[in-house]
Every structure is written in C-alpha cells, then in structure tokens.
Amino acid sequence: RAVASGGAASGPLMLAQPAVEAAPTAAPGVPATFADLAELVMERREAVLAAELKSSVHLVRYEPGLLEFRAAEGASKDLAQKLSKRLGEWTGRPWLVSLSREEGQPTLRQQQLDRELKRKQDAANEPLVQAILHTFPGASVEAVRDLAEAPEQDVIFETADMDAATGEDE
C-alpha cells in the first residue's frame, strides 16, 4: 500500500513497511518466567502467597498474562483467584490464572531441593572429597557453597593478641 507524504505534488511517495512481529516478550514490570513471577510476589511482601507458589504449584504453562498450574494437595482453594487479582493489580494487565489436571513440573521448592542434592552428589564424587570421606568414616557432605558467593574471611593474628589470648607474656 502506498502512502503519500504531504500534499498531492509536495513530496516523494513512501511505501509503508509491513509490521515485523517480534518474539513475544514480557512488558516492563511483567514477569517473563514463572520463577520471576514468584520473585515478584515475594518483592510485594506477600510471603504466604510466595511460599504457596514455591511449594504448592506444579507449573503446566506460563507466559506473561497466563498461568496454568496443578495445585498440590493442601493448597488454598482460592489460590488461582488471589494470584489473578494480585498480578492484575501489580502489572496493570489482566491475567488468566487457571487450574489444570495435568501433572505439571515439580514445584519450585522441589526443583531447588533437587539442585542442592545434585550439587552434594557431584561434590561427594570429587576425588579430594572422596579421600576425605574415606579418611573420616561417617563423614558426609552437608552443604556445597560457591567460593565466589562466600564472603571473604581473612583472619589476621597478631602476636600481641595471641599472647594475650594464651596468657603468656613476651
């Protein structure tokens, strides 16, 4: 389709470009993923609702504006309605939140526990850790932390402090 710019003889003829459809993305303030949605609920200080999202929701389908899930046994009967209302208020757009009979994914909490268990198993399979576990029967890997995330703990002992702590004089 052609669109003229200006008057009948006052400018070049410009062709309208067809609209290019972009991949669907979340609008600003709209969670892009279900994990982002759970984080938004926590940021809005809805701790009970956030806990229920993490422990009682088996995600079936998610896209911005749409949430379909299977509720775990014991979940609030009005969870879908509460979520739909709150998300609409927070994002400024309507949300379709519905229950499903499909199995869905493990809950966010179960996914987190599975990741922690895998990290412990991976750590326990490291040769150095295997040697330690062999040297100390009954020992086990209780936690795995990334060194990059651990706070630096530089401990500096000074001679005067050590002498005072041991009760010895110089």
Side-chain angles (χ1 to χ4, degrees):
R1 158 179 132 191
V3 178
S5 172
S10 69
L13 185 63
M14 297 175 55
L15 297 177
Q17 298 294 318
V20 177
E21 271 192 53
T25 58
V30 177
T33 66
F34 178 63
D36 292 342
L37 182 142
E39 189 63 33
L40 171 68
V41 174
M42 194 61 176
E43 287 171 6
R44 293 296 184 138
R45 299 182 183 267
E46 292 278 352
V48 173
L49 189 57
E52 199 160 21
L53 272 177
K54 291 180 180 181
S55 300
S56 299
V57 170
H58 295 271
L59 181 64
V60 172
R61 183 172 165 213
Y62 178 83
E63 59 187 60
L66 173 73
L67 172 60
E68 185 178 353
F69 67 93
R70 178 180 61 83
E73 190 174 318
S76 299
K77 301 289 183 211
D78 62 345
L79 179 59
Q81 293 91 341
K82 280 194 281 189
L83 275 172
S84 180
K85 180 181 177 191
R86 295 286 193 282
L87 291 170
E89 292 169 358
W90 296 335
T91 64
R93 66 182 283 184
W95 279 75
L96 175 60
V97 179
S98 62
L99 296 173
S100 175
R101 293 184 188 268
E102 290 183 43
E103 185 67 21
Q105 300 175 11
T107 64
L108 292 175
R109 178 71 179 136
Q110 187 59 52
Q111 291 175 36
Q112 178 185 8
L113 292 172
D114 291 347
R115 283 190 303 272
E116 289 174 11
L117 178 61
K118 181 170 179 1
R119 286 182 65 171
K120 286 179 185 178
Q121 291 170 339
D122 290 348
N125 290 328
E126 288 292 322
L128 179 60
V129 176
Q130 283 286 312
I132 293 169
L133 294 174
H134 180 71
T135 303
F136 299 99
S140 64
V141 176
E142 295 297 316
V144 178
R145 293 181 186 86
D146 290 327
L147 292 177
E149 294 174 6
E152 287 189 32
Q153 296 180 347
D154 292 338
V155 179
I156 301 172
F157 295 103
E158 295 184 17
T159 311
D161 292 337
M162 290 298 288
D163 291 341
T166 60
E168 297 178 9
D169 293 332
E170 290 182 42

